[in-house]
Amino acid sequence: MTKLSFTMENYLEAIYELSGDEKGARVSDIAERLNVTKASTNSAMSTLAEKGLIVNEKYGEIFLTAAGRSQAEFTSKKHHIIRKFFIDILKIDVGTADSDACAIEHVISSKSIEAMQEFLREDSVKIVSVNY
């Protein structure tokens, strides 16, 4: 997997979420989703294209390559597991859970994600008392 900055991972994830199986994403939609300028988005698209993660048609749609889709799916999966853990287990409100998951998804280890996912799979949640 290509090592990307947090910002580039966010762009890749936005493309993934905005595009369907055969559909691409538009620069204006990506910029709006991430609350950035079209110029910043175009610059990021050039970087992602150079890394072979997207195909960027001039003035057209942006499509993920197989490598780009794989990386975007991985980032998106981490986001959703963290978000679900925060909401379902820690009872954090949706807005906070979503923004925190977005920040954490870039630095959390796969081992921690797997542990969260396994915890969420358990039939009953065991509450552990901690003595201070």
Side-chain angles (χ1 to χ4, degrees):
M1 220 176 269
T2 305
K3 181 67 178 153
L4 296 175
S5 68
F6 299 172
T7 303
M8 289 299 122
E9 281 186 353
N10 283 337
Y11 278 108
L12 206 59
E13 188 177 10
I15 296 164
Y16 174 73
E17 291 174 354
L18 289 167
S19 61
D21 290 334
E22 301 296 320
K23 193 178 108 182
R26 297 179 331 185
V27 167
S28 57
D29 293 335
I30 297 165
E32 184 178 328
R33 166 72 63 99
L34 297 175
N35 199 25
V36 296
T37 65
K38 289 181 190 176
S40 295
T41 303
N42 278 319
S43 176
M45 296 308 103
S46 294
T47 300
L48 292 173
E50 287 170 13
K51 293 182 180 296
L53 299 172
I54 64 164
V55 175
N56 187 358
E57 297 176 353
K58 191 85 167 163
Y59 303 110
E61 292 183 320
I62 296 152
F63 297 90
L64 294 167
T65 63
R69 177 167 296 284
S70 175
Q71 193 153 350
E73 284 173 348
F74 182 65
T75 302
S76 181
K77 178 183 174 185
K78 288 192 297 183
H79 180 101
H80 292 290
I81 290 168
I82 296 164
R83 182 179 184 273
K84 183 171 178 49
F85 185 84
F86 285 173
I87 293 168
D88 293 357
I89 306 304
L90 302 181
K91 307 299 184 203
I92 296 172
D93 69 271
V94 173
T96 302
D98 197 49
S99 63
D100 286 352
C102 189
I104 292 169
E105 71 193 24
H106 305 290
V107 295
I108 195 167
S109 71
S110 294
K111 197 174 214 176
S112 293
I113 287 294
E114 289 167 10
M116 282 182 175
Q117 191 170 27
E118 184 59 36
F119 191 86
L120 288 166
R121 274 193 207 122
E122 292 181 5
D123 291 334
S124 62
V125 176
K126 298 173 185 102
I127 306 290
V128 178
S129 173
V130 179
N131 293 325
Y132 291 97

